[in-house]
Amino acid sequence: MLAEHRLKAFQELVTQSSREELIWMNGFLAGLVSAEEKAAGAGNAATPVSTVARVNKISVLFGTETGNSKKVATEFAAQAKKQGINVKLTSLDQYRVNDLSKEEYAFLVISTQGDGEPPATAKKFYDHIHQQNIALDKMKFSVLALGDSSYPLFCKAGEDVDGQLIRLGAKRIVPLQKCDTDYAEDAAFWFSNVMKALSEGGAGTAVSPVVAKPAKGKKNHTGTILANVNLNDRDSNKQTHHIEIAIEDDVYYEPGDSIGFIPHNKKETVDAILALTGTDGDTAIEFRKEKYTIAEALAKKICIVHLPERVVRQYAAITQQEIPDTRIDLLDLLRIYPVKDAAQFEQVLHILEPVAPRLYSISSSLQAHSGEVHITVARDRFTVNNEVKYGQCSDFLSQLAVDSTVDFYVHKNSQFKLPAPDKDVIMIGPGTGVAPFRSFIAERDAVAATGRNWLFFGDQKFTADFLYQTEIQNWADTGVLSRVNLAFSRDQRSKLYVQHKMLEQAAELWNWIEGGSYIYICGAKAPMSVDVENTLLQIIERYGGKSVGEAVVFLDHLKEQGRFLLDVY
């Protein structure tokens, strides 16, 4: 039982913390208890985990894409400082790589992007340690790897960094910890093990090994399609689907989160692969420790489009053919470089990878759309060798019929959340970038938030591409949206984009920013988000009376305060 003054302090902390902070604290405490239990199981029951560090200086380095690695690294640095440790917290894109050989204690938090790649902010560091033969004999380290276990190369960037530091002579004092998208508990487990190692003087290989906790799988849900409507008019060059899904009570999400889908492969493509290889689709196989028929695995589990080069190389080894490094669909690969028979094709099946999930920003609010989740999907259309093709997941989702079912999981995004209800928000989201802002506005309307809301939206044509036009106009008419600025690029001779509308409203934008507004950008990373950020710098420089350098520092400070947030792709 806590003493009265400690109980009061604890109750104040709990009541003043957000849901995300409570989850993190729960995970951190669970990690501390788990570390003590492991020590007791190893015969150290009489020796509790020390919280007094014998090491007084460490570096905490992070490489992030969405901000999660930065958040975790910052929390770890704060915990270490409370234990009297001098911490140097640095983003890997700001880190001087020549200082690496001087590091004595370095702890890295790094995410994995795309096809097993490091985030852009960590690319310089990643290349440096792989290309330079540097001696790191003085360094003691550990790596916390963030990733998504739905992808084939889960936490690959973290694994690569961990392995390469060992090859360069560094000593690992706590094992690599992999974290899935729900990372709070696993990160706290790693924190406690690092602190235990530091309390023992960071004795390198003398520290008792700790088995990294296995990543927990995501909770999958099944929903029923309530509506699937193309939001674009007939003369549009685009096809954007608003999809409403009925959900059960155990599905919880917040504005700013996404949901992930694993798309199914087209039946005609699966049938063509079976026919080409002479394979019986009803034959049972094991794929990734689960049993399926070959037809079922090809339809729902195995990636058969745009195979990565590493898979093509394995295919070449199995079929003993010379195949150039390339990305290619399985059907085309089989046509050009056929397998000998069905038995050889079964060998090929085992080197193929699972279908990777795709994430879509949620465009609804549980406060306003109880029992439902909505998404906004642009059906991706492109041409290859004069043949019209569609993006795999966007095509799959756009074809879902009302009353059909679809499997999905919730992907939390703690770095793209609404502020307190009394704060003002500026939302910049052209095209499908408007999706999370529909969620934001609906939430603010439902809870009667007193903060002002300003939306910048753009697309090609007013008459054909004004997504959620009726809702946006209603929100403007009722005052939920304090200001709306629209940019339709093809409605006049010269192209007009959201950044041009921002410049037209520059003085008022600066007033909002100076008054404490939160700024959100969602949509294409390049060139949109880059152009918007450069426009913001111009506005800060001109109306804030700052130099170019001072404007950059000002915007960086907004990022550090959590007042400038991006969800770009």
Side-chain angles (χ1 to χ4, degrees):
M1 185 68 180
L2 291 174
E4 185 176 350
H5 69 284
R6 289 184 177 176
L7 179 61
K8 183 179 179 182
F10 178 74
Q11 289 172 333
E12 288 179 355
L13 176 63
V14 169
T15 56
Q16 293 172 9
S17 297
S18 67
R19 183 175 182 274
E20 291 290 330
E21 289 169 335
L22 289 171
I23 291 171
W24 184 90
M25 285 188 278
N26 178 61
F28 180 75
L29 292 172
L32 288 177
V33 173
S34 177
E36 291 194 15
E37 288 173 349
K38 286 178 180 292
N44 296 324
T47 308
V49 176
S50 172
T51 58
V52 180
R54 289 170 55 191
V55 173
N56 58 22
K57 184 179 180 182
I58 65 173
S59 290
V60 178
L61 312 175
F62 62 89
T64 191
E65 188 77 20
T66 64
N68 286 337
S69 292
K70 179 180 180 180
K71 181 175 185 288
V72 172
T74 303
E75 289 170 348
F76 172 54
Q79 291 294 327
K81 286 177 181 177
K82 288 179 181 177
Q83 302 303 323
I85 300 174
N86 183 10
V87 182
K88 181 175 71 174
L89 177 67
T90 313
S91 173
L92 285 172
D93 62 339
Q94 301 295 319
Y95 182 73
R96 293 184 300 185
V97 290
N98 291 333
D99 288 347
L100 197 58
S101 59
K102 305 172 189 175
E103 296 285 2
E104 187 174 0
Y105 291 95
F107 300 96
L108 296 98
V109 183
I110 184 169
S111 60
T112 295
Q113 308 305 314
D115 198 23
E117 301 154 2
T121 56
K123 187 70 166 60
K124 179 182 69 172
F125 176 88
Y126 183 93
D127 290 344
H128 181 77
I129 63 173
H130 283 83
Q131 296 170 4
Q132 303 298 321
N133 188 23
I134 50 180
L136 300 181
D137 307 67
K138 298 178 181 178
M139 180 191 291
K140 299 177 181 67
F141 80 98
S142 181
V143 175
L144 182 71
L146 271 60
D148 185 333
S149 60
S150 301
Y151 290 84
L153 300 181
F154 174 53
C155 290
K156 183 66 165 58
E159 285 183 337
D160 289 348
V161 169
D162 179 78
Q164 188 60 18
L165 292 179
I166 288 290
R167 283 187 282 275
L168 294 172
K171 295 179 179 63
R172 186 195 297 118
I173 63 171
V174 169
L176 168 74
Q177 175 68 60
K178 297 181 183 179
C179 295
D180 209 338
T181 52
D182 185 10
Y183 55 78
E185 185 178 338
D186 290 327
F189 179 78
W190 180 78
F191 289 174
S192 65
N193 288 326
V194 170
M195 293 306 299
K196 180 175 183 291
L198 294 177
S199 73
E200 296 172 351
T205 54
V207 173
S208 300
V210 180
V211 178
K213 294 176 64 179
K216 298 182 292 295
K218 298 177 185 66
K219 184 171 183 180
N220 289 312
H221 307 279
T222 300
T224 303
I225 304 300
L226 298 173
N228 189 341
V229 180
N230 180 13
L231 297 174
N232 299 100
D233 212 334
R234 284 174 296 179
D235 63 338
S236 175
N237 297 319
K238 301 181 178 185
Q239 193 172 331
T240 309
H241 285 252
H242 170 74
I243 301 174
E244 299 180 359
I245 306 169
I247 57 176
E248 299 297 330
D249 291 341
D250 64 336
V251 180
Y252 178 79
Y253 65 84
E254 295 175 297
D257 291 340
S258 302
I259 51 176
F261 300 91
I262 295 180
H264 296 177
N265 295 310
K266 288 183 175 296
K267 184 179 185 302
E268 54 266 34
T269 305
V270 172
D271 290 343
I273 289 171
L274 294 173
L276 196 60
T277 59
T279 300
D280 181 356
D282 292 329
T283 301
I285 62 164
E286 185 176 286
F287 181 74
R288 302 297 166 111
K289 300 181 180 179
E290 297 286 342
K291 294 188 182 300
Y292 309 97
T293 67
I294 291 178
E296 183 183 18
L298 286 172
K300 299 181 179 180
K301 302 297 177 180
I302 295 176
C303 175
I304 62 175
V305 298
H306 210 44
L307 303 183
E309 293 176 3
R310 61 179 175 276
V311 171
V312 175
R313 284 193 289 269
Q314 292 178 77
Y315 180 95
I318 291 172
T319 61
Q320 297 184 333
Q321 300 181 71
E322 291 289 334
I323 305 176
D325 282 351
T326 185
R327 299 200 68 152
I328 187 173
D329 289 355
L330 178 61
L331 183 57
D332 292 333
L333 187 61
L334 289 164
R335 284 171 176 160
I336 302 169
Y337 304 98
V339 293
K340 287 191 302 185
D341 50 31
Q344 190 175 70
F345 180 62
E346 282 196 43
Q347 284 183 269
V348 169
L349 288 173
H350 293 293
I351 60 102
L352 297 176
E353 296 178 347
V355 180
R358 274 68 160 185
L359 296 175
Y360 289 85
S361 296
I362 292 172
S363 53
S364 56
S365 157
L366 279 175
Q367 295 289 341
H369 310 97
S370 178
E372 300 177 11
V373 62
H374 303 170
I375 54 173
T376 310
V377 179
R379 191 183 186 200
D380 186 22
R381 175 176 173 170
F382 54 96
T383 304
V384 178
N385 297 326
N386 296 319
E387 181 183 358
V388 175
K389 291 181 176 285
Y390 295 93
Q392 185 183 16
C393 195
S394 64
D395 186 49
F396 166 70
L397 293 171
S398 68
Q399 303 305 305
L400 289 173
V402 172
D403 295 329
S404 64
T405 59
V406 65
D407 295 332
F408 66 93
Y409 64 91
V410 176
H411 180 88
K412 305 300 293 181
N413 185 354
S414 60
Q415 302 302 305
F416 202 74
K417 285 286 177 281
L418 279 167
D422 63 338
K423 301 297 183 183
D424 296 339
V425 297
I426 299 165
M427 300 163 284
I428 305 161
T432 54
V434 76
F437 301 140
R438 179 178 184 264
S439 173
F440 278 23
I441 301 163
E443 176 89 0
R444 304 265 281 186
D445 186 20
V447 302
T450 56
R452 297 176 297 172
N453 307 298
W454 188 347
L455 175 68
F456 287 87
F457 171 75
D459 214 309
Q460 291 187 350
K461 303 174 184 176
F462 177 89
T463 56
D465 304 310
F466 192 167
L467 308 183
Y468 301 114
Q469 178 179 357
T470 301
E471 288 181 325
I472 289 172
Q473 288 178 331
N474 287 342
W475 279 323
D477 290 342
T478 57
V480 177
L481 274 173
S482 309
R483 301 177 73 97
V484 181
N485 288 97
L486 307 171
F488 294 96
S489 60
R490 308 292 173 87
D491 281 349
Q492 58 283 310
R493 197 170 283 179
S494 58
K495 297 286 180 67
L496 184 69
Y497 298 115
V498 287
Q499 61 266 28
H500 299 127
K501 288 294 182 179
M502 290 168 63
L503 287 174
E504 288 179 8
Q505 304 293 324
E508 186 62 15
L509 259 176
W510 171 249
N511 287 336
W512 278 52
I513 294 170
E514 195 175 31
S517 291
Y518 286 65
I519 307 167
Y520 299 85
I521 302 174
C522 184
K525 180 183 291 186
M528 186 277 294
S529 73
V530 176
D531 292 340
V532 167
E533 187 163 340
N534 287 334
T535 301
L536 279 171
L537 287 170
Q538 291 179 47
I539 292 170
I540 293 165
E541 182 184 347
R542 179 179 175 185
Y543 290 89
K546 302 181 186 301
S547 66
V548 173
E550 288 170 341
V552 171
V553 170
F554 182 89
L555 193 58
D556 285 344
H557 187 53
L558 291 184
K559 294 176 184 177
E560 291 168 4
Q561 290 179 309
R563 286 181 50 207
F564 181 62
L565 302 163
L566 290 84
D567 184 10
V568 295
Y569 37 84

